Amino acid sequence: MTSFESFFTTATGIPAPYPYQQRLAEGGWPDALDVPTGLGKTAAVTLAWLYRRRQLGEADMPRRLVWCLPMRVLVEQTADCIRQWLERLDLLGRPGDGRVSVQLLMGGEDDVRTAEWAQHPEEDAILIGTQDMLLSRALMRGYGMSRYQWPVHYALLHNDALWVYDEVQLMGPGLATTAQLEAFRRANALGRPARSLWASATLHPDWLATVDFRYHLDDLHIARLDDADLAQESVRRRRSAVKHLQQAKTCLDSDSRKGKAAVYLQTLAEEVIVTHLAGEQTLVILNRVDRAQALYQALGKFGVDTERLLLHGRFRPAERRWIERQLRQPCGETGRIVIATQAVEAGVDISSRVLFTELAPWASLVQRFGRCNRAGEHDQADIRWIDITDDADEALPYDPVSLAAARSLLQEQGQAGPAHLPAVQGGPGLYQVLRRRDFLELFNTDPDLSGFDVDISPYIRDTGTPQCQVFWRDVVPDAQPTPELATPARDELCPVGISQLKDHLGQKVTIAAWVWDGLAERWTAIRREQVRPGQTLMLCAAQGGYQADQGFVPRAKGGVDPVPPDDAAPEGYGDDRPTQIGRWVGLTEHLTDVAEDACRIGERLGLPGEDTHALTEAGRWHDVGKAHEAFQTALGEGPSEGGPWAKSDGRGRLHYRVAAEGGQSQSRPCFRHELASMLAWLVHGESSPDKDLIAYLIAAHHGRVRLGLRALPTEKVPRDERLFARGVWDGDVLPPVHLGVQTVQETLLRLDLMRLGTGPLGPSWAERTRRLLAEEGPFRLSWLEALVRIADWRASRREAES
């Protein structure tokens, strides 16, 4: 077996790990990691997890390492480092090849619809994303993705997953949510072990004292530097780096607001230029994107030839990657001035000789100071803090109280090296806390009667921070976009705050915008007052709103160059792509394939025998409802032998119809074969304690029929007022179906379980699923649900490729 020292050196090229990194790989695994900035937390956690998984073979170490980062700008930088380490260790691979894959969870077609990582839950994978993308998925309301994919990502992020929350001081209300989620996982059954690790240079344990997690604080294991670490030369140099601290001449006060804001920016630009040193890098960190963009413009008006770069969280990936490449290049003769926001506080490997920063909470300031003379490479460096008066508007996104506390500490300091700074004190702020009942209600993915979902944004971000995504296409502002417009790819998406997005859309002179309506399966025009957190909006490229060097700028003139899209249309309620795979596949063959895949997945994951049996039975019955007349008619005429059919060689939308009186046919929009499958199972399936569980797994295998069972607004209403839901009518008949090991006889489909109370089929569907959720818990139930879906995906892909 390779030693960790050799393993670490091969991956990083560094002669030896720090002692704390070695302890992380070989000792007890902590709940929190409190290590100063610049000492390799990302390498420590990633390589220690990898060593325990691949070298020590620890069965309880989760298969998925989930890096939850506070800022989008950190994601690709982190991914690049990790891929490089894996390549050097000859472990980097793609999902399905038995190696370790690296996946960015950032929204877009390449993340969600083609997420190969989700199809291989038995393999090691490293998932990297922002707290917006990851926490929204952990709350069953994934931003920027189809609601029908929510349960799978939810399951894989709560089971067999090691969450790492980096730079927690930047997480706002998301920090309390992470603590609550960990408490819920410890209190509920899991399909596979999962745990959390909070990492920061300014971690305070009391920040995790939420209503449910506070009972675990006494047992919290926090890893810190010890005497062996502090004796390292590189650590001593970083801790004792000289960073002179003084107040800047410029001040942001109430006179600087609105019409006088230009005076503040002009004065600050002048001070920055005077202080900047030729051949060196100067970093200016402002608290708001609009001010950073305005300072970038003000510096440009001085006509100096010093390179300018702007870094914040509202760029498209291509432009952001270009900026990051520039930051890695040496400064020229005139040096470089970098204007940034909080995006630079965490994980961005950048250092400067001169640092300007607006007043911020103390924990954030400590992180910002770490971006000046980062490794002690300069004999001395200068930090100037810009005061912000106690005005609520100017203090945003922070509160005046936390700024006043930071100001008092700054006025007592003359040096800002790590060894000279006082410890972080105080709480993380008051935020809305996710309670158990609210969390369980999120398990239901059906929208409410108004068509909206529960707003989870208060549990993820502070008000005003990026909560939406936009992309630009060459569309006509006043025309209805075609439904076939492709789903946005990751490189098209630009994160943006709701207030900035509303400014762009305007009130009097409006900018065109659309969102995808999955139920209606069309692009729907949206007005500024209809914008909600987590939405992905399509904008008209000709109407502007983006500049390559400044990112998203509300009402910016000039067209936007669209990023070439993928060719996959968005997923709608009646999406038929999993059915039309380019060849005919018999229903018996497909049911057998899925049952075998479900059994293999259970065995490879080492699941208990009863769980593997439940997966196998659900796989064997999941598509029995495809024998329904509506489905077989929609597929069209197949080969003369081999039916009924599960897959076809067709293309385009399926139109579900059944024969009616007088030789006419009757449309059955919204038909869902999985509902018919579940009803058949309740009639013919084996009697066992898991019968309702298997019924749920059958019904939920496309994410359309889960906890609720009700008719949809666009369905046809039967003239005789019989019960109906999802295209299935009470009294429909399902013909006999051969399952490979048995034959299911003709089935009369009854929908009595739509009603409350007990009927001919027993308790209502609502009662059954409510009891299942209480007995199994949300994590274990979603885990089994996801594994059945994955077995179906695998079998369908293999059938399409054969």
Side-chain angles (χ1 to χ4, degrees):
M1 181 179 67
T2 305
S3 68
F4 179 70
E5 183 173 350
S6 175
F7 188 83
F8 183 91
T9 300
T10 300
T12 64
I14 298 173
Y18 288 120
Y20 90 88
Q21 294 172 324
Q22 184 114 16
R23 293 193 298 274
L24 200 59
E26 299 174 346
W29 190 265
D31 300 299
L33 182 61
D34 186 0
V35 173
T37 184
L39 292 183
K41 290 192 296 292
T42 304
V45 175
T46 302
L47 295 176
W49 167 83
L50 193 62
Y51 187 75
R52 288 172 177 264
R53 283 290 308 165
R54 309 298 287 201
Q55 292 291 319
L56 302 184
E58 294 185 3
D60 289 338
M61 180 59 68
R63 289 178 170 88
R64 282 174 292 283
L65 178 65
V66 184
W67 274 100
C68 182
L69 305 174
M71 299 292 179
R72 187 183 180 99
V73 295
L74 309 177
V75 172
E76 292 189 355
Q77 173 186 302
T78 302
D80 289 343
C81 290
I82 291 176
R83 287 193 182 107
Q84 187 177 58
W85 299 332
L86 290 172
E87 282 181 338
R88 291 172 176 171
L89 292 166
D90 194 26
L91 290 175
L92 182 65
R94 293 185 58 81
D97 67 7
R99 291 173 174 258
V100 183
S101 60
V102 179
Q103 309 293 328
L104 303 187
L105 271 58
M106 300 289 286
E109 168 69 15
D110 37 4
D111 167 10
V112 181
R113 283 300 304 273
T114 58
E116 294 184 20
W117 68 270
Q119 300 185 35
H120 299 277
E122 74 277 24
E123 293 189 350
D124 293 342
I126 300 175
L127 312 178
I128 309 169
T130 62
Q131 69 186 71
D132 301 79
M133 288 296 170
L134 289 170
L135 291 183
S136 64
R137 297 178 198 212
L139 296 178
M140 194 72 89
R141 291 296 183 276
Y143 288 170
M145 62 184 294
S146 164
R147 70 172 58 249
Y148 310 120
Q149 302 295 327
W150 290 346
V152 177
H153 289 229
Y154 175 96
L156 298 180
L157 290 172
H158 283 300
N159 295 277
D160 222 355
L162 169 60
W163 283 76
V164 183
Y165 305 105
D166 196 19
E167 305 300 358
V168 297
Q169 79 283 348
L170 296 177
M171 294 189 71
L175 178 57
T177 300
T178 67
Q180 285 293 94
L181 290 176
E182 178 62 20
F184 298 154
R185 285 192 290 267
R186 294 187 182 191
N188 288 272
L190 298 173
R192 288 280 305 167
R195 61 185 306 168
S196 300
L197 174 68
W198 291 273
S200 175
T202 54
L203 180 66
H204 200 288
D206 287 346
W207 294 354
L208 304 176
T210 59
V211 62
D212 290 293
F213 194 70
R214 59 184 174 179
Y215 303 107
H216 301 284
L217 288 185
D218 289 343
D219 299 322
L220 202 70
H221 176 195
I222 303 178
R224 295 186 172 93
L225 300 185
D226 64 8
D227 291 342
D229 293 292
L230 298 176
Q232 300 283 315
E233 173 59 29
S234 58
V235 176
R236 288 204 307 269
R237 188 169 61 248
R238 286 177 182 272
R239 285 175 50 79
S240 60
V242 177
K243 307 179 187 185
H244 298 297
L245 181 65
Q246 60 180 303
Q247 184 175 346
K249 298 177 182 177
T250 308
C251 175
L252 178 59
D253 54 30
S254 56
D255 290 337
S256 303
R257 66 168 59 189
K258 295 183 179 179
K260 297 184 179 180
V263 175
Y264 164 70
L265 296 167
Q266 177 79 9
T267 304
L268 178 57
E270 292 174 355
E271 186 172 357
V272 169
I273 289 174
V274 170
T275 310
H276 174 70
L277 301 173
E280 302 290 352
Q281 183 158 276
T282 295
L283 175 61
V284 186
I285 305 177
L286 305 184
N287 295 343
R288 287 161 53 172
V289 173
D290 55 350
R291 286 207 291 263
Q293 291 171 328
L295 178 62
Y296 177 84
Q297 297 167 5
L299 287 169
K301 294 177 181 178
F302 278 92
V304 295
D305 57 356
T306 303
E307 179 188 9
R308 290 175 300 136
L309 289 176
L310 178 62
L311 179 65
H312 55 73
R314 295 177 192 161
F315 282 98
R316 293 185 300 193
E319 287 82 9
R320 188 175 63 252
R321 285 193 292 267
W322 181 86
I323 294 169
E324 291 170 354
R325 285 196 299 270
Q326 294 301 109
L327 285 173
R328 289 193 289 267
Q329 300 300 317
C331 294
E333 292 183 3
T334 58
R336 177 190 297 137
I337 299 175
V338 180
I339 303 96
T341 61
Q342 298 94 319
V344 80
E345 284 183 28
V348 176
D349 191 10
I350 183 175
S351 185
S352 60
R353 179 76 177 271
V354 176
L355 170 68
F356 283 82
T357 173
E358 287 185 334
L359 185 64
W362 185 247
S364 292
L365 288 174
V366 171
Q367 294 292 332
R368 296 181 187 189
F369 296 162
R371 272 62 195 168
C372 178
N373 201 11
R374 185 169 173 81
E377 66 271 22
H378 302 294
D379 292 336
Q380 61 178 7
D382 294 298
I383 297 176
R384 303 194 179 194
W385 60 275
I386 304 163
D387 197 15
I388 299 177
T389 57
D390 294 334
D391 182 280
D393 290 336
E394 299 306 329
L396 289 174
Y398 306 116
D399 66 274
V401 174
S402 63
L403 296 189
R407 183 187 301 112
S408 297
L409 290 172
L410 287 168
Q411 290 170 343
E412 299 172 357
Q413 301 296 315
Q415 286 286 333
H420 299 91
L421 297 177
V424 174
Q425 300 294 332
L430 297 177
Y431 302 109
Q432 188 170 332
V433 176
L434 180 70
R435 301 304 297 267
R436 183 178 185 276
R437 180 177 177 179
D438 301 321
F439 178 67
L440 290 177
E441 288 178 352
L442 292 172
F443 196 80
N444 189 351
T445 53
D446 289 333
D448 61 27
L449 294 177
S450 65
F452 293 112
D453 293 296
V454 175
D455 180 12
I456 60 168
S457 61
Y459 306 128
I460 295 179
R461 284 275 188 192
D462 293 315
T463 303
T465 51
Q467 295 170 333
C468 292
Q469 296 189 100
V470 298
F471 65 100
W472 288 264
R473 292 281 175 84
D474 286 323
V475 290
V476 179
D478 298 326
Q480 173 63 38
T482 173
E484 287 72 30
L485 275 175
T487 300
R490 181 187 299 130
D491 276 1
E492 291 185 81
L493 296 173
C494 177
V496 57
I498 285 183
S499 59
Q500 289 74 31
L501 181 54
K502 289 183 176 181
D503 288 345
H504 179 65
L505 297 181
Q507 288 179 306
K508 297 180 179 179
V509 181
T510 58
I511 298 292
W514 299 266
V515 294
W516 176 251
D517 185 332
L519 184 58
E521 301 189 52
R522 64 185 176 89
W523 291 97
T524 302
I526 185 171
R527 300 185 302 274
R528 69 188 305 272
E529 63 270 17
Q530 296 173 308
V531 175
R532 295 171 66 86
Q535 288 179 320
T536 298
L537 280 70
M538 178 171 65
L539 303 178
C540 174
Q543 293 183 316
Y546 189 86
Q547 295 180 358
D549 62 339
Q550 296 186 54
F552 182 84
V553 182
R555 295 277 167 168
K557 302 298 183 182
V560 180
D561 292 329
V563 175
D566 293 332
D567 59 0
E571 182 177 19
Y573 177 84
D575 194 282
D576 304 313
R577 279 169 284 187
T579 295
Q580 299 173 310
I581 64 172
R583 63 178 286 254
W584 291 89
V585 178
L587 183 53
T588 301
E589 176 188 349
H590 180 63
L591 294 175
T592 302
D593 289 344
V594 175
E596 291 175 351
D597 270 305
C599 184
R600 277 194 292 268
I601 289 173
E603 291 172 349
R604 290 175 182 174
L605 288 170
L607 300 186
E610 59 270 22
D611 288 353
T612 299
H613 175 73
L615 297 179
T616 305
E617 282 299 288
R620 196 181 313 281
W621 283 78
H622 79 292
D623 273 356
V624 165
K626 285 187 174 180
H628 194 287
E629 178 187 358
F631 190 88
Q632 294 300 308
T633 302
L635 290 185
E637 186 175 352
S640 57
E641 297 181 357
W645 304 102
K647 310 284 184 181
S648 81
D649 64 355
R651 292 292 184 269
R653 287 191 54 81
L654 296 181
H655 299 282
Y656 301 101
R657 310 186 71 84
V658 298
E661 296 180 1
Q664 301 296 316
S665 63
Q666 188 176 64
S667 176
R668 291 284 185 91
C670 306
F671 176 79
R672 294 311 311 178
H673 65 272
E674 58 267 37
L675 173 56
S677 302
M678 179 267 286
L679 295 173
W681 163 261
L682 289 178
V683 174
H684 300 292
E686 63 183 32
S687 296
S688 75
D690 287 336
K691 185 158 188 174
D692 283 348
L693 171 62
I694 295 172
Y696 174 80
L697 299 180
I698 293 169
H701 81 268
H702 282 298
R704 270 77 166 176
V705 182
R706 299 184 69 248
L707 299 190
L709 183 55
R710 66 175 188 238
L712 298 178
T714 53
E715 291 197 56
K716 296 286 186 181
V717 180
R719 293 181 180 179
D720 56 8
E721 298 184 357
R722 72 175 84 177
L723 292 171
F724 68 99
R726 315 300 170 104
V728 176
W729 290 9
D730 189 76
D732 283 352
V733 175
L734 207 62
V737 179
H738 185 55
L739 305 184
V741 296
Q742 70 182 97
T743 297
V744 178
Q745 300 304 313
E746 182 179 272
T747 308
L748 179 68
L749 302 180
R750 301 295 302 272
L751 286 171
D752 302 270
L753 75 174
M754 289 179 64
R755 294 191 174 107
L756 297 178
T758 301
L761 289 176
S764 69
W765 185 245
E767 172 62 21
R768 293 171 193 259
T769 56
R770 184 198 63 78
R771 187 170 62 241
L772 268 177
L773 184 58
E775 292 174 351
E776 302 290 343
F779 308 123
R780 184 177 134 76
L781 185 58
S782 65
W783 173 243
L784 298 175
E785 174 184 350
L787 295 182
V788 172
R789 294 185 68 175
I790 291 167
D792 189 21
W793 293 345
R794 287 187 179 184
S796 297
R797 171 176 286 191
R798 193 169 58 255
E799 291 163 353
E801 293 172 349
S802 65

